[in-house]
Amino acid sequence: MLAALLVALTVATASGAADEPLWTLLKGGGQVVLVRHAITTPGVGDPPAFRLDDCATQRNLTDEGRGDARRLGEAFRARGIPVVRVLSSPWCRCLETGRLAFGTAEPWWPLGNLFGRPENRADQVRELQSLAGERRAGGNLVLVTHGSTIAALTGINPAPAEMVVLTPLGGGRFTVAGRFRGA
């Protein structure tokens, strides 16, 4: 039992230490932070006949997911990470993640869920590349979205509430600085 606890503590400490370069990068601002929405009710995609204007018809955050979203925001505030804007997929689970973590979230259609919607991929990725590749001064831009959308843009399929940090290069280009769970 003690050995298992020591292993878990060592892994958690190593993971936290490995995240420090990303936190340092974010502290300097100018980055784009893609956040996959926090944990939802079980399932994939959306229920049949869901509607964006009715959260009751969608898969939503669980209590655990709400806690993860709050901890994410607390991690940003505890480290003094500047955030200039939070854009979100119009799906309720993303808006709630953004609002719980950062106090605000502006719906932006290009962040919408691409799962089961391949016809939207080219247009959404083009819009996302343009925004993610735009150099900006000051704080970081946070984009709350879905795993399918992050994967389409970066090739990375993050876990719920995991972040992928992008460094804009200008002209719609960016590099992936890293990925991590902030909470």
Side-chain angles (χ1 to χ4, degrees):
M1 177 73 172
L2 181 58
L5 179 60
L6 287 174
V7 168
L9 194 55
T10 302
V11 169
T13 302
S15 174
D19 295 345
E20 283 311 311
L22 288 174
W23 284 120
T24 300
L25 183 64
L26 291 174
K27 181 104 174 160
Q31 306 302 304
V32 175
V33 183
L34 296 166
V35 179
R36 181 177 176 188
H37 62 75
I39 297 170
T40 63
T41 52
V44 176
D46 289 290
F50 89 100
R51 293 191 344 251
L52 283 179
D53 65 344
D54 185 357
C55 294
T57 67
Q58 301 178 35
R59 286 181 37 245
N60 293 300
L61 298 184
T62 62
D63 287 342
E64 182 181 359
R66 288 182 191 93
D68 285 346
R70 287 184 189 100
R71 283 187 290 281
L72 177 65
E74 289 165 6
F76 268 67
R77 288 184 290 282
R79 289 172 174 84
I81 304 300
V83 174
V84 293
R85 192 172 185 193
V86 179
L87 297 177
S88 172
S89 161
W91 271 248
C92 295
R93 56 189 172 265
C94 294
L95 289 165
E96 186 175 18
T97 297
R99 290 172 181 152
L100 288 172
F102 303 103
T104 186
E106 260 179 82
W108 191 50
W109 181 250
L111 290 167
N113 196 356
L114 284 171
F115 183 83
R117 296 170 183 83
E119 68 279 5
N120 296 340
R121 182 183 169 107
D123 289 340
Q124 283 182 240
V125 168
R126 188 172 29 261
E127 290 286 329
L128 290 169
Q129 283 174 329
S130 177
L131 184 65
E134 178 184 315
R135 290 185 176 163
R136 61 193 45 77
N140 301 290
L141 172 64
V142 175
L143 305 176
V144 185
T145 187
H146 309 266
S148 60
T149 308
I150 294 171
L153 180 64
T154 66
I156 297 170
N157 191 8
E162 186 178 7
M163 295 179 285
V164 177
V165 179
L166 307 178
T167 299
L169 301 175
R173 297 175 307 115
F174 56 83
T175 60
V176 175
R179 65 189 278 188
F180 69 118
R181 280 187 63 93

